[in-house]
Amino acid sequence: MSRTQGTSGKGKPSGRGQQNGNGKNTSRGGSASKGKSFARGNAPIRNVNPPSKKQPSNPDEIRLNKYVANSGMCSRREADVHIATGLVTVNGKVITEMGYKVKLDDEVRYDGARINPEKKAYVLLNKPKGFATTTSEGKGRTVMDLVANATSSRIKPIGRLGRNSKGLLLFTNDDVIAAKFTNSKNGVARLFQIELDKNLKLEDLKAIQAGFKVEGKLISVEEISYIDGEPKNQIGLKIKNIGNTLIRTIFDHFKYEIISLDCVAIGPLTKKDIPRGHWKHLTEQELNNLKML
């Protein structure tokens, strides 16, 4: 029996294509509906939930008051007050709008000081050779590969070591600590152990210690010395510059080639208990020592 014939299972007409006593078609698509079709798939659309005027949320954005509060400066309610009074800027622009959203990589400042909503992290790496000091992709193996699992915070290296250089490299998302290294007046001294292609002459050592000019620019170091018990081509050099291009400039000027360069200390931080290629989080005491510099 076809679906258009007979009755339903309970003895009632199926209602499909049938007529009532007045001869009018009573099917769901019949004229009794005044010409309107309510067949499945043809029912009129009802706006049960009117479309919201709100834009879809972006997981990469965060409300400004939450950003400020997460930085540890104040509560979210207090952040609203500070925003309203113009104490907060985003990328150099004062923002007073409530509900304003920012991206995590925006530059947000509270009362002039840059803030960060992420947990502060301090990672010390003992870098091996063969890794570039960069946060850019497409540069082969980088130091970021070595500290990828250290923290969920977006840390960056302070300064750099050449791909073939090795030794200590500090990573952090704390701009206050990073600023200590880039402060031209104070800075943080780093100690390097350097192997040259030949013995360093005493007069050259003294000239480096005294300071000299290259293309009109004064080059100075904190300390330079031979390493006790080692050949005269093994040199200890302490310098506050955070790159290692200046070190190469020094020895190029005196006609020496650097065979190896190893950063063995950053301020009070040393390589103790950090095997090559490994990292560790700074202890509270180490961080306090660094902050006191």
Side-chain angles (χ1 to χ4, degrees), residues 164-277:
N164 291 321
S165 299
K166 54 192 177 182
L168 293 180
L169 195 60
L170 181 62
F171 297 73
T172 187
N173 59 343
D174 187 336
D175 291 333
V176 175
I177 290 294
K180 284 183 173 290
F181 288 80
T182 56
N183 187 303
S184 59
K185 189 174 183 179
N186 297 318
V188 176
R190 299 195 300 169
L191 178 61
F192 292 88
Q193 183 172 327
I194 302 168
E195 179 183 354
L196 302 175
D197 63 330
K198 55 188 176 183
N199 291 345
L200 179 64
K201 297 177 181 178
L202 180 60
E203 57 265 33
D204 291 338
L205 183 147
K206 290 181 177 180
I208 295 171
Q209 181 65 71
F212 60 96
K213 288 187 176 181
V214 174
E215 297 180 352
K217 183 179 180 180
L218 178 64
I219 305 295
S220 61
V221 303
E222 297 297 303
E223 297 177 22
I224 184 170
S225 65
Y226 299 115
I227 297 177
D228 292 341
E230 298 291 340
K232 300 299 184 183
N233 69 330
Q234 301 288 329
I235 307 301
L237 177 69
K238 183 180 288 187
I239 192 170
K240 287 184 177 179
N241 181 276
I242 62 174
N244 66 346
T245 54
L246 182 61
I247 298 176
R248 297 193 180 278
T249 298
I250 290 171
F251 291 103
D252 283 347
H253 181 76
F254 290 94
K255 311 301 182 186
Y256 296 91
E257 181 181 347
I258 296 177
I259 303 301
S260 69
L261 186 147
D262 188 357
C263 181
V264 297
I266 299 176
L269 307 175
T270 69
K271 296 192 295 182
K272 183 180 179 182
D273 300 327
I274 313 178
R276 193 79 72 190

Side-chain angles (χ1 to χ4, degrees), residues 52-258:
S52 172
K53 295 182 180 180
K54 293 182 179 180
Q55 296 295 324
S57 60
N58 186 338
D60 295 327
E61 293 181 336
I62 181 175
R63 284 181 177 271
L64 182 56
N65 61 350
K66 184 177 180 181
Y67 188 109
V68 175
N70 287 358
S71 72
M73 303 300 297
C74 58
S75 69
R76 194 181 297 192
R77 181 173 296 181
E78 290 171 332
D80 284 332
V81 176
H82 298 320
I83 292 169
T85 55
L87 285 177
V88 179
T89 63
V90 178
N91 298 327
K93 181 181 177 181
V94 175
I95 301 296
T96 58
E97 175 188 341
M98 292 297 104
Y100 187 88
K101 290 186 176 182
V102 296
K103 293 182 175 64
L104 290 177
D105 56 358
D106 283 337
E107 181 185 279
V108 180
R109 292 182 178 271
Y110 169 76
D111 200 19
R114 187 166 184 177
I115 57 176
N116 192 316
E118 296 179 320
K119 181 180 179 181
K120 297 294 187 291
Y122 311 88
V123 176
L124 188 62
L125 170 72
N126 188 352
K127 176 189 174 300
K129 286 184 177 181
F131 290 82
T133 305
T134 179
T135 57
S136 301
E137 297 181 355
K139 301 291 185 180
R141 298 190 302 175
T142 75
V143 293
M144 302 308 297
D145 298 324
L146 297 172
V147 298
N149 298 323
T151 176
S152 60
S153 297
R154 295 176 303 165
I155 55 176
K156 296 186 295 185
I158 298 178
R160 65 182 301 274
L161 289 173
R163 187 180 292 273
N164 291 321
S165 299
K166 54 192 177 182
L168 293 180
L169 195 60
L170 181 62
F171 297 73
T172 187
N173 59 343
D174 187 336
D175 291 333
V176 175
I177 290 294
K180 284 183 173 290
F181 288 80
T182 56
N183 187 303
S184 59
K185 189 174 183 179
N186 297 318
V188 176
R190 299 195 300 169
L191 178 61
F192 292 88
Q193 183 172 327
I194 302 168
E195 179 183 354
L196 302 175
D197 63 330
K198 55 188 176 183
N199 291 345
L200 179 64
K201 297 177 181 178
L202 180 60
E203 57 265 33
D204 291 338
L205 183 147
K206 290 181 177 180
I208 295 171
Q209 181 65 71
F212 60 96
K213 288 187 176 181
V214 174
E215 297 180 352
K217 183 179 180 180
L218 178 64
I219 305 295
S220 61
V221 303
E222 297 297 303
E223 297 177 22
I224 184 170
S225 65
Y226 299 115
I227 297 177
D228 292 341
E230 298 291 340
K232 300 299 184 183
N233 69 330
Q234 301 288 329
I235 307 301
L237 177 69
K238 183 180 288 187
I239 192 170
K240 287 184 177 179
N241 181 276
I242 62 174
N244 66 346
T245 54
L246 182 61
I247 298 176
R248 297 193 180 278
T249 298
I250 290 171
F251 291 103
D252 283 347
H253 181 76
F254 290 94
K255 311 301 182 186
Y256 296 91
E257 181 181 347
I258 296 177

